[in-house]
Amino acid sequence: MNVRALAAKALYAVLEQGISLSVALPEQQKKLTNGKDKGLLAELCYGVLRVLPQLDKRVSDCLNKPFKNKQRVLHQLLLVGCYQLYFTRIPEHAAISETAEACRQLKFDGLVKVINGVLRNIQRNKAELSTDNTVLEFNTPNWLIKRLQQAYPDTWQRIIEHCHQRPPMWLRNNQISQTREQYLQSLTDAGISASKGNSKDSILLEQATDVMQLPNFVQGAVSVQDAAAQWAAWLLEPKDNELILDACAAPGGKTCHILEQAPRAQVVAVDFDDKRLDRVNENLSRLNLSARTIHGDAANIDEWWHGDKFDRILLDAPCSATGVIRRHPDIKWLRQSKDIEELAKLQAQILDHCWQWLKPGGTLLYATCSILPEENCQQIAAFLARTSDAKLEGLEEQNNPDTIGWQITPGESNMDGFYYARLKKQ
Ligand SMILES: C[S@@+](CC[C@H](N)C(=O)[O-])C[C@H]1O[C@@H](n2cnc3c(N)ncnc32)[C@H](O)[C@@H]1O
């Protein structure tokens, strides 16, 4: 299979059909057997989505007539071609001929000449990519730029820059298997360079590595998890024998971390996405941990839980994921401004309901991978205003003690963007 044709198909799924890249990419990757080709396919898709407006403009300027309907996939193919010419070290003649061949594979034989012609035109005249307006300059939709400008008047540009950087690979040491020092030594022995992160289990790899190359990965020695997400279990402070609800648990990264810290805690991991819940079970089984996994709605706990109230609740709420754009650049194009208010409403609903299921004296940790105040500090401020038995606890890690909760912005200490607020029930 031609890698460029598969990239065009994955991008068509994201941009024309609104499918997330984490679904669309594996769908195409499974048609390839070679690891290098799979890597190139990912690089082409991620790359195009990072700089989409600039590529879009360059390609559209070279087309007499835009492609429509089923032929739209050829527009995506041209984006892939243009990306190779501007952003990769692939020899230009190879980039062009492979992309033209992809057109044939996509069964548009009659348009191979057009694809070839447009790409040759771009190659001959490799003008700087346009930065004529803020969308082109920042390769980010206008609505998101505006919201970021408002939330971060002094730093929004730097935040957007970080959203475009390639994310590092973080590991979480499984403290049941070995200490972090011991695992760092195993990595050194395996010739893998790594260093410690700020939270106790986190390890930063100098270079992304196939997990199968990591010592004892299959046996559960470590997991892949961004350092920002690793703060959840530390801030929740789970204890053995406590009854703990992980209210939006899939794929289970934080569920497993909670159990690594408190292996005898009774953890109930809930998610309303059945398929994603399977991933929780897979992760638990690799790490040899056990939790009760339930397919259910966190905004309707009464429906699936008839036991005691919980000592601790982790609410890793569904959110805009604007803090993890560096890992999922498709978010920029799949989300819309109106989603933010809808998500904030949903989060408030789940938060209010979970609160009813927390024991007096219990702790609820609210988390999102968003960097927008509507989903984070404003959400918690509104919750505190309407909930008389809730008290916000300060977090040591918080950079500004006056803010409501801890907002991590992308790139801070090499982490993803994330938000935490710890609430205690009176
Ligand atoms: C941010 S992800 C959770 C990530 C997870 N905590 C981890 O660390 O691996 C949010 C999850 O919430 C789930 N979700 C969204 N709305 C829900 C609801 N009302 N009840 C239960 N789960 C929900 C989604 O299916 C998704 O898996």
Side-chain angles (χ1 to χ4, degrees):
M1 283 304 284
N2 178 300
V3 177
R4 281 79 179 170
L6 299 181
K9 281 188 180 181
L11 290 166
Y12 178 87
V14 173
L15 298 171
E16 307 290 332
Q17 299 175 317
I19 296 171
S20 131
L21 186 62
S22 57
V23 173
L25 179 61
E27 195 60 33
Q28 301 305 328
Q29 270 178 326
K30 70 183 179 207
K31 299 176 188 162
L32 296 168
T33 45
N34 178 315
K36 248 189 170 168
D37 285 346
K38 287 186 190 194
L40 175 60
L41 174 56
E43 155 68 15
L44 295 175
C45 294
Y46 280 94
V48 166
L49 293 169
R50 282 198 185 101
V51 289
L52 182 66
Q54 286 186 318
L55 296 176
D56 227 354
K57 171 141 180 53
R58 189 76 187 88
V59 164
S60 302
D61 285 350
C62 293
L63 279 171
N64 296 332
K65 219 169 49 172
F67 289 115
K68 290 213 177 107
N69 305 323
K70 281 200 174 148
Q71 288 186 356
R72 280 301 289 167
V73 71
L74 296 182
H75 184 80
Q76 275 87 44
L77 183 63
L78 282 174
L79 298 176
V80 171
C82 188
Y83 177 77
Q84 293 170 82
L85 294 176
Y86 275 93
F87 293 98
T88 70
R89 276 182 278 174
I90 298 170
E92 293 184 343
H93 63 276
I96 295 176
S97 65
E98 285 290 320
T99 309
E101 174 53 29
C103 180
R104 217 183 298 282
Q105 281 209 8
L106 291 166
K107 305 213 165 42
F108 291 105
D109 291 48
L111 291 164
V112 172
K113 272 196 184 147
V114 178
I115 299 296
N116 212 29
V118 170
L119 292 178
R120 290 219 178 283
N121 190 356
I122 293 175
Q123 177 198 22
R124 268 195 305 272
N125 167 23
K126 246 172 90 193
E128 293 256 309
L129 290 170
S130 170
T131 51
D132 282 356
N133 57 44
T134 32
V135 173
L136 289 165
E137 190 181 351
F138 293 101
N139 281 307
T140 300
N142 215 9
W143 69 266
L144 185 54
I145 296 178
K146 289 218 169 99
R147 283 183 186 261
L148 291 174
Q149 283 172 332
Q150 207 177 14
Y152 306 95
D154 303 325
T155 52
W156 64 274
Q157 280 145 308
R158 204 154 39 97
I159 289 175
I160 293 181
E161 269 165 36
H162 279 291
C163 290
H164 288 141
Q165 279 165 14
R166 278 150 216 263
M169 183 166 170
W170 284 97
L171 301 179
R172 183 184 83 233
N173 180 59
N174 179 354
Q175 52 179 267
I176 300 176
S177 303
Q178 70 280 308
T179 64
R180 174 164 68 171
E181 271 60 31
Q182 285 167 334
Y183 198 75
L184 280 164
Q185 187 57 50
S186 312
L187 286 173
T188 308
D189 297 345
I192 299 172
S193 303
S195 54
K196 288 181 198 171
N198 292 341
S199 69
K200 286 186 198 139
D201 295 325
S202 57
I203 295 176
L204 178 64
L205 294 187
E206 206 169 282
Q207 265 188 342
T209 307
D210 178 353
V211 288
M212 291 308 167
Q213 308 298 321
L214 298 172
N216 294 326
F217 178 80
V218 177
Q219 291 84 344
V222 281
S223 300
V224 177
Q225 188 180 41
D226 189 84
Q230 293 189 36
W231 278 106
W234 290 111
L235 299 175
L236 185 69
E237 299 180 333
K239 307 275 183 305
D240 278 341
N241 304 315
E242 285 182 339
L243 181 61
I244 299 178
L245 172 65
D246 187 351
C248 292
K254 300 182 189 76
T255 316
C256 294
H257 197 194
I258 290 169
L259 282 159
E260 286 167 6
Q261 291 194 359
R264 280 186 294 280
Q266 289 178 59
V267 175
V268 178
V270 174
D271 203 284
F272 77 175
D273 184 329
D274 225 357
K275 282 213 181 99
R276 282 172 63 89
L277 199 64
D278 291 344
R279 303 264 314 278
V280 182
N281 288 317
E282 284 161 26
N283 281 322
L284 286 164
S285 126
R286 182 180 63 87
L287 294 164
N288 200 17
L289 298 166
S290 75
R292 192 150 159 204
T293 52
I294 296 180
H295 178 217
D297 182 354
N300 199 354
I301 299 176
D302 318 50
E303 200 176 65
W304 46 264
W305 184 251
H306 306 290
D308 290 345
K309 289 191 173 181
F310 297 91
D311 296 294
R312 290 174 204 268
I313 298 180
L314 169 61
L315 173 51
D316 189 12
C319 71
S320 63
T322 37
V324 292
I325 286 175
R326 61 182 195 164
R327 293 191 190 278
H328 305 283
D330 53 327
I331 287 167
K332 289 190 290 186
W333 315 115
L334 294 177
R335 287 262 174 253
Q336 294 173 21
S337 191
K338 69 173 170 42
D339 297 344
I340 306 306
E341 277 67 37
E342 282 168 22
L343 282 162
K345 259 193 217 154
L346 175 67
Q347 291 152 359
Q349 201 189 340
I350 301 178
L351 178 55
D352 285 340
H353 187 71
C354 284
W355 193 252
Q356 309 303 318
W357 277 93
L358 184 66
K359 277 184 194 163
T363 296
L364 184 148
L365 184 72
Y366 176 84
T368 72
C369 56
S370 162
I371 48 175
L372 299 177
E374 293 83 351
E375 301 176 86
N376 298 342
C377 57
Q378 289 175 14
Q379 176 74 266
I380 296 304
F383 174 75
L384 290 167
R386 67 175 177 265
T387 315
S388 57
D389 57 355
K391 187 168 171 277
L392 178 74
E393 292 197 320
L395 301 173
E396 237 175 74
E397 296 72 20
Q398 219 167 301
N399 22 19
N400 178 354
D402 298 331
T403 58
I404 297 183
W406 179 24
Q407 179 68 70
I408 305 169
T409 54
E412 220 178 290
S413 303
N414 246 322
M415 295 189 281
D416 284 345
F418 233 87
Y419 176 80
Y420 289 109
R422 191 165 63 197
L423 302 157
K424 190 113 184 150
K425 192 162 182 170
Q426 305 288 316

